[in-house]
Amino acid sequence: MIERVVERVFRSVAAVRDDLVAGYRAAGGRMCDADVTAVREALIARLVRERSVAVGMGVIVAPGLLVDRPLRMEWWQADTEAAPVMLEVDLNPASVGFYDYAAAEWFTVPRRTGRRHVVGPYVDVHGTDRYLLTLTLPVLADGRFVGVAGADVPVARFETLVLRELGDLAADVVVVNVEDRVVLSTSPRWLVGDRAVLTDAPCRALDEPDWRVVVT
């Protein structure tokens, strides 16, 4: 149920990752800006196919990887039937509005653990201004950390898809993250984003290591 929705997004993210790995190897490990741009067409096509779930998708390159640019993002957004647009952020470290993506949880955790990660729910003040979940996984090529690939999923959309999968249940189901913040709830007692410490209720872990399903 919940896993099916998450896995659907991660399958597309993994394909984007594979495209970047292929570009890294084709460049002999010396990537430049054009090698990242080369993944754009396939990336946009995947985002369009998944726009019923995701509103953003892309790759974020490890600082210092490219020979001609210190920082690089290739992130696209598609929230409506209009053509996808590229997310433009300030990547100048000397600027007041500098977007330090290398310090973001969705970047640092996959880099540190080598595993995929889900961040949220949170308000995306640098992109959509919406309540989001961001799903990322590390891009590793020949033992080197190249960056992360990921997707943004609106919490409301995620909730709708999962509730459709759950159908009518006699019990209430609450999904909480590592901070005990509610990611999804079928109960009016718990709203998305609430802190819900439910240690006495039966629970099980999902494939996402930081999420638990609690039945109340």
Side-chain angles (χ1 to χ4, degrees):
M1 49 182 182
I2 297 169
E3 288 95 337
R4 280 197 290 271
V5 177
V6 173
E7 292 301 330
R8 172 181 170 179
V9 177
F10 270 123
R11 278 194 298 272
S12 290
V13 172
V16 173
R17 172 202 62 196
D18 293 345
D19 288 343
L20 191 62
V21 169
Y24 175 88
R25 289 175 175 159
R30 288 183 55 80
M31 294 187 77
C32 63
D33 181 75
D35 296 313
V36 180
T37 303
V39 308
R40 181 174 298 175
E41 184 176 351
L43 164 62
I44 293 174
R46 292 189 179 96
L47 175 58
V48 169
R49 286 196 296 271
E50 294 295 343
R51 75 163 94 211
S52 64
V53 182
V55 294
M57 191 176 293
V59 294
I60 302 91
V61 177
L65 177 79
L66 304 184
V67 298
D68 54 352
R69 287 187 65 174
L71 300 169
R72 178 72 160 87
M73 294 179 62
E74 181 74 25
W75 195 272
W76 288 77
Q77 297 175 317
D79 193 21
T80 66
E81 293 303 315
V85 296
M86 189 174 182
L87 175 64
E88 300 286 352
V89 294
D90 186 350
L91 296 180
N92 179 4
S95 173
V96 174
F98 172 52
Y99 181 46
D100 187 10
Y101 65 70
E105 180 185 342
W106 47 259
F107 189 91
T108 60
V109 174
R111 179 176 58 187
R112 185 182 74 249
T113 65
R115 302 180 62 176
R116 68 191 198 181
H117 188 61
V118 181
V119 177
Y122 71 100
V123 178
D124 178 29
V125 296
H126 294 287
T128 63
D129 290 322
R130 299 178 67 168
Y131 217 24
L132 293 180
L133 299 169
T134 295
L135 294 73
T136 54
L137 49 77
V139 181
L140 304 172
D142 304 327
R144 185 177 186 182
F145 176 74
V146 175
V148 302
D152 286 332
V153 177
V155 170
R157 196 171 298 178
F158 176 78
E159 188 174 40
T160 298
L161 291 168
V162 172
L163 292 179
R164 189 180 303 158
E165 292 277 350
L166 289 173
D168 296 326
L169 295 177
D172 290 330
V173 175
V174 182
V175 179
V176 295
N177 63 18
V178 68
E179 299 174 341
D180 288 321
R181 296 287 179 187
V182 174
V183 177
L184 177 143
S185 172
T186 64
S187 168
R189 295 169 52 203
W190 307 106
L191 300 177
V192 172
D194 283 351
R195 187 172 177 82
V197 181
L198 303 170
T199 54
D200 295 331
C203 67
R204 69 179 182 87
L206 292 173
D207 287 341
E208 301 316 310
D210 297 333
W211 284 13
R212 292 178 296 124
V213 177
V214 182
V215 180
T216 63

